[in-house]
Each structure stands twice: as C-alpha cells, then as structure tokens.
Amino acid sequence: MTTAFVSHSDCGRHDTGWGAPEHVGRIRAITRAFRERPELFMRLLHHEGRHALPAELVLVHDLEYIRGMHAFALAGGGRLDPDTVASEGSWAAATAAAGCVLDAVDMSFDGRALRSFCAIRPPGHHALRDSSMGFCIFGNVALAAHYARRTHRADRVLIIDWDVHHGNGTQALVEHDPGIHFVSMHQWPWYPGTGAASERGIGNLWNVPMPPGLPPAEYVDALRTAIDAATVGFIPDLVLISAGFDSLAGDPLGGFTLEMEHVAVLTREVVERATAWCKGRVVSALEGGYVPERLGEACMVHLEQLG
Ligand SMILES: [Zn+2]
C-alpha cells in the first residue's frame, strides 16, 4: 500500500504577504516537520502534481471567472475580495493546487497511491463558481469530486470537511449532485455564516455546526456520527478530506480544541471506513491551519495514519 505526499513548488508562488494568515510559511512548516520524521518521509511516495487545465476547472467554475483570474494574476494581482489576495504567481499556484488533487485522484484509482495528502495552497473550500472567497481561488476538493465522477466513473464520492470554517464553496459546488455526499463540521455561528444543520441540499449535505471550546472528544464524536449518517446506503468509491487544521486548539481563526491525538483518531477512522468501502481510497487536501508549527505537526500525524 502506497501513500503519497503530493505537492507543487508553484504553490509557494501565491504571495499573500507575511501579514496574511494564509502565507507561504504554512507549506514550508510542513516540509520542515518532515525533518523530525525521516522514516515517514522515506516511506511516502513524493509526487509533484500537475496544473489543472481550464478545461478541467470548468467542471465547477465559470469559464469567465477562470479567464478573469488568469488575466488578473498576469497583470500583477491585487485584492480579489475582502479576504483574498492574488499575486502574479497565483494563477500558477491555484492551478497547481487543484492539479495536485486531481493527480491524487488519478493515483488513487489507478493504484499508484491509494491514499494521498496534498500539501497545497491556496486552499479551496470557500471558493464559489464565479468568485474567490476566504483565501480560496478554486474549489480544489469539489473539483476533485466531480472529476472522479466524470473521469473515473465514480458513482459515489464522500467529502469530509473538518476545517473549523464551513465549506460553503464545496457545498455550493456539490449540493445538486446525488452522487456526492458532503459532511462538514464547523464552528457556528462563525465565518462564513453558512452551514446550519438545516442546509441539506438534495439530502446530500450533513452540516454539523458546533460551538467553540467544547472538550475535543465531542467534536470527534459529532463528526463520526455525521459520517456514519451520510454513508447509510451510500458506499463511497472515494473519500475526499478537506483537511483544515484550524480546528486545532490555539488556532487564531477558530475556537475548536482538537489536539494531535484527535487528528490521528479522525484520520484512522476515515481510513478504516474507506478500507471497508473502497479499497482504502482516501485523498486529503490541505485547507486552513494558521499556526505553522502546529500545522506541520498535524500534517505529520495525519500522514502517519494515512500510510
Ligand atoms: Zn478554515
């Protein structure tokens, strides 16, 4: 069984400035964390992802938005929305981030690596069909779900989002597809304001809004319960994780209380279920997580349990 660590050097070209929570140091912290884990580093398949093509991005985005993003970045970038900035390298970064997840899906289905973690930025789960939002440019994980459906004939894809913020973009991009079930646990009420339990899409959404500051086991239990509810009579062919590590205790952008052991438990339980459902196919993609050292450590724990 091979597990891949998927990355792309272009993800470092999305220059948001060091004052932004979502900065290039986040990815560097992951690379640094490997220094303490040489055995983990050695047993992973290290894969440089590709760039997603506009012809792929149109699975979830308007062509006009895609073209506009290309032109905006080439012209030097600037502020895209109140939270999101782009630099000249952001087109290369955003297409690489999406392309890494698509490559991971390909590897999961063709057997090169049944499981992957994609260390990518910009993140994706707030991006909408025709706009950036909340540090996100393209909907990496929603795109991967539709790509798996289209290219690999996956009948059922499960998305699990444990970022502390609601994956409103992912929700908007999958809520009409009965072949995609989306589970999101998030702080509520909190940014971006969506994600009430009553938001069910066509019965394919399981939103788990939670207050901040609870004992961590309560978050683990709530997410586990939602995953099990979302898979009654729905055996996924692929599991995607929106791995936001801003759900860890101490994150400046959230009030959840998870520690490394909870990242381990959640990852292990998803892998166990995926093994029963679909040969163990799990593709995980980085979303938030704004204390770089904690993020790096969490990625190591996550990878240890994936592989
Ligand atoms: Zn987040």
Side-chain angles (χ1 to χ4, degrees):
M1 219 302 294
T2 303
T3 296
F5 178 78
V6 184
S7 61
H8 198 299
S9 55
D10 278 352
C11 289
R13 295 178 60 197
H14 177 53
D15 181 4
T16 52
W18 288 104
E22 200 296 289
H23 57 65
V24 66
R26 299 175 63 238
I27 299 283
R28 290 182 192 162
I30 301 171
T31 315
R32 239 186 349 263
F34 271 125
R35 289 187 201 153
E36 310 296 318
R37 299 280 211 297
E39 286 166 19
L40 174 63
F41 184 87
M42 292 297 285
R43 77 166 190 260
L44 296 169
L45 170 69
H46 293 265
H47 179 83
E48 173 106 347
R50 62 188 171 87
H51 291 275
L53 303 169
E56 294 167 328
L57 295 169
V58 292
L59 280 170
V60 293
H61 293 292
D62 290 343
L63 187 57
E64 199 176 328
Y65 170 64
I66 298 165
R67 284 182 174 147
M69 187 60 62
H70 187 208
F72 188 78
L74 282 190
R79 190 158 289 279
L80 288 162
D81 63 61
D83 304 310
T84 317
V85 296
S87 65
E88 192 174 359
S90 294
W91 170 257
T95 53
C100 281
V101 190
L102 299 186
D103 255 7
V105 169
D106 287 339
M107 292 196 294
S108 187
F109 279 99
D110 69 25
R112 278 177 290 161
L114 283 178
R115 291 192 279 281
S116 292
F117 172 66
C118 305
I120 52 171
R121 60 184 289 277
H125 73 154
H126 297 304
L128 299 168
R129 182 168 291 281
D130 60 357
S131 70
S132 63
M133 185 173 166
F135 313 151
C136 302
I137 293 179
F138 296 130
N140 307 320
V141 166
L143 172 65
H146 286 288
Y147 176 82
R149 300 263 289 135
R150 175 76 59 95
T151 306
H152 296 285
R153 308 261 173 252
D155 291 322
R156 290 169 296 277
V157 178
L158 174 67
I159 302 175
I160 300 167
D161 186 330
W162 66 51
D163 188 282
V164 76
H165 305 101
H166 179 232
N168 64 299
T170 303
Q171 173 169 306
L173 298 174
V174 308
E175 66 185 350
H176 302 297
D177 188 339
I180 302 174
H181 283 193
F182 177 53
V183 177
S184 178
M185 179 181 67
H186 42 268
Q187 187 171 331
W188 199 81
W190 198 238
Y191 183 89
T194 51
S198 58
E199 295 171 26
R200 296 297 322 277
I202 51 169
N204 63 333
L205 309 178
W206 281 261
N207 279 304
V208 186
M210 299 286 280
L214 297 176
E218 295 198 26
Y219 299 111
V220 173
D221 289 345
L223 184 58
R224 180 193 294 126
T225 300
I227 292 169
D228 288 342
T231 52
V232 172
F234 182 95
I235 309 296
D237 300 303
L238 171 70
V239 180
L240 298 170
I241 300 176
S242 263
F245 294 111
D246 45 10
S247 43
L248 291 169
D251 195 278
L253 299 193
F256 279 6
T257 56
L258 301 186
E259 293 294 342
M260 299 304 157
E261 64 189 280
H262 309 106
V263 173
V265 167
L266 285 173
T267 308
R268 189 159 61 237
E269 293 198 5
V270 171
V271 168
E272 281 168 6
R273 283 163 172 72
T275 302
W277 291 328
C278 53
K279 302 180 185 170
R281 285 189 204 106
V282 179
V283 169
S284 176
L286 181 62
E287 300 283 0
Y290 302 103
V291 179
E293 264 120 58
R294 298 267 286 167
L295 169 65
E297 181 63 17
C299 291
M300 297 301 108
V301 170
H302 186 48
L303 275 162
E304 274 169 352
Q305 297 297 330
L306 282 177

